[in-house]
């Protein structure tokens, strides 16, 4: 069965990061890791169709924001610049992790769980983790009972990768090389069919 891998990455391996593996039948495995090699092992264990990382995978070529952050703002979706305090180290880690995974033949995409949650009408974790949990469950996703915000974002990241591979996504791309994937609202219909 095909799998889709989502990562809610922290800026430092001293802090835990979350991952989620979504299967085609909408069951999901979740967990935590600290070091990049732990994540690479997990990716190799599940051999997913693609890996979605919740972190910028590039820096602005000029100015403070990438063009895709500006495009997100026009969509009403707020996003931080990779140059924002704390984001620089996250971006550097994500770029390195992408390189490691691509060397092993995995497709890696930049995703933004908050943006996907906005597109699907789900609350973000800082608004209500309980409502986010219930919303993901209503979409048909079956995953361990947890209201941990990082795990919920990792599940959303895996769902975004699923949407990408099912061609139910919105690509926010720009001339400065940024390519960011969000799930399309049309994904709900595809999920309903799987739920039966």
């Amino acid at each position: 069965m095909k799998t889709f891998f989502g990562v809610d990455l922290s800026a430092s391996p001293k802090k835990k990061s979350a991952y989620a593996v979504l299967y085609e039948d909408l069951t999901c495995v979740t967990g935590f890791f600290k070091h990049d090699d732990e994540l690479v092992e997990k990716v190799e264990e599940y051999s997913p169709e693609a890996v979605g990382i919740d972190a910028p995978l590039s820096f602005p070529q000029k100015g403070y924001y990438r063009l895709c952050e500006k495009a997100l703002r026009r969509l009403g979706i707020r996003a931080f610049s990779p140059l924002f305090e704390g984001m620089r180290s996250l971006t550097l880690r994500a770029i390195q992790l992408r390189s490691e995974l691509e060397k092993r033949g995995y497709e890696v995409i930049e995703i933004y769980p908050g943006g996907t949650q906005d597109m699907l009408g789900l609350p973000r974790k800082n608004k209500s983790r309980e409502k986010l949990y219930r919303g993901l469950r209503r979409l048909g996703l079956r995953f361990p009972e947890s209201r941990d915000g990082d795990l919920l974002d990792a599940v959303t990241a895996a769902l975004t990768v699923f949407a990408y591979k099912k061609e139910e996504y919105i690509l926010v791309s720009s001339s400065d090389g940024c390519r960011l994937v969000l799930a399309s609202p049309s994904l709900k219909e595809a999920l309903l069919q799987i739920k039966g």
Side-chain angles (χ1 to χ4, degrees):
M1 191 181 297
K2 291 179 180 177
T3 59
F4 311 88
F5 205 106
V7 181
D8 183 59
L9 192 64
S10 66
S12 166
K14 292 180 181 178
K15 296 181 179 178
K16 67 178 183 177
S17 297
Y19 72 87
V21 184
L22 181 63
Y23 288 86
E24 282 184 297
D25 66 358
L26 304 184
T27 57
C28 198
V29 175
T30 61
F32 294 102
F33 68 94
K34 282 193 172 179
H35 300 283
D36 292 356
D37 58 344
E38 294 174 61
L39 178 67
V40 170
E41 283 177 21
K42 282 291 175 190
V43 170
E44 298 210 300
E45 177 183 342
Y46 289 100
S47 192
E49 296 295 297
V51 178
I53 299 180
D54 172 21
L57 293 177
S58 63
F59 286 102
Q61 289 183 356
K62 60 180 182 176
Y64 188 68
Y65 286 97
R66 298 179 300 171
L67 296 175
C68 59
E69 272 99 35
K70 294 177 181 179
L72 285 174
R73 282 209 309 266
R74 288 193 294 276
L75 290 171
I77 298 171
R78 59 180 174 78
F80 293 113
S81 162
L83 299 177
F84 187 76
E85 186 178 341
M87 291 291 287
R88 183 183 294 274
S89 54
L90 173 64
T91 302
L92 288 169
R93 184 180 187 192
I95 290 169
Q96 177 62 35
L97 189 53
R98 175 192 199 173
S99 175
E100 288 298 317
L101 290 170
E102 286 181 342
K103 277 187 218 171
R104 290 165 171 79
Y106 296 102
E107 181 180 9
V108 179
I109 60 172
E110 178 179 339
I111 56 93
Y112 181 31
T116 283
Q117 290 155 4
D118 292 351
M119 296 304 292
L120 298 178
L122 300 171
R124 295 192 186 196
K125 65 184 178 186
N126 60 344
K127 293 289 182 188
S128 173
R129 285 179 290 174
E130 180 64 33
K131 287 181 181 176
L132 175 55
Y133 169 83
R134 289 182 185 175
L136 290 166
R137 288 283 189 151
R138 272 195 300 274
L139 291 175
L141 278 67
R142 298 187 302 278
F143 54 95
E145 278 206 34
S146 173
R147 274 52 168 193
D148 182 282
D150 295 337
L151 281 180
L152 293 174
D153 273 356
V155 170
T156 306
L159 178 61
T160 306
V161 177
F162 175 89
Y164 172 69
K165 284 298 182 178
K166 298 297 180 182
E167 298 188 352
E168 300 286 351
Y169 68 96
I170 295 167
L171 176 64
V172 181
S173 64
S174 54
S175 59
D176 60 0
C178 178
R179 291 176 52 84
L180 188 147
V181 174
L182 305 173
S184 166
S186 63
L187 176 66
K188 289 180 180 179
E189 297 303 316
L191 293 172
L192 282 173
Q193 291 174 13
I194 296 171
K195 281 171 67 176

